[in-house]
Amino acid sequence: EALARAGLDRVNVSLDSVDHLHFAAITRRDRLADVLAGLAAAHAAGLRPIKVNAVLDPLTGLDDAVSLVRFCLGHDHQLRIIEQMPLDAGHQWRREAAVTANQVLAQLRRHFTLEADRAPRGSAPAELWRVTDSATGRTGKVGVIASVSQPFCSTCNRVRLTADGQLRSCLFAIEETDLRGLLRSGADDDAIEAAWRTAIWGKPAGHGINDPDFVQPPRPMSAIGG
């Protein structure tokens, strides 16, 4: 409620499973109840849309996808299923083990009616699908972000400012622009703008995951944040 009063109007929440045991195995923390309570509090505070971001576990993910869709349809949340990317802290990512967007859609079609959303996608990272659960009659939208198997780099207009003040022109950037350092050294707006423009002009044409010489960035997703 305090965040909503301060001007926050929407929120994204990471939730990879609504199964108690699966959640504990993925996160190494037995705190599913805390995440669900946070989602409920955000909804009660009037934050909209509430987007639930899920990266599916290779072993349980396809089953988790179905339960996540049902959970989100029942609680007025927008689910986004994201392909696992090489941004893990242990650098253990393996392409052949990751759950792909096509596998997710095939699984969802076994349980729901899916129709491609007619609205133009533009530069949005998620491909949206209208979902109907015939068992409950509930409808909603689910997004699938196929960053690895179907890259959308050519339309990407996103940059990321990390919690420690580093500007990244791509999630997979090796170099960062230190805006925090500029601010703390007393740089004026023109200097900050120039640094920002330089970073944007240098935005790579693609993330390079599928290139043979791809190098995983040293910072994992949990340290990039933003």
Side-chain angles (χ1 to χ4, degrees), residues 23-48:
F23 180 94
I26 293 168
T27 65
R28 303 176 190 174
R29 290 165 177 81
D30 187 11
R31 299 187 61 183
L32 175 60
D34 292 335
V35 178
L36 299 183
L39 285 167
H43 192 276
L47 302 185
R48 300 290 188 281

Side-chain angles (χ1 to χ4, degrees), residues 123-124 153 155-159 203:
S123 60
C153 299
T155 60
C156 176
N157 64 356
R158 308 287 176 103
V159 296
K203 183 174 173 64

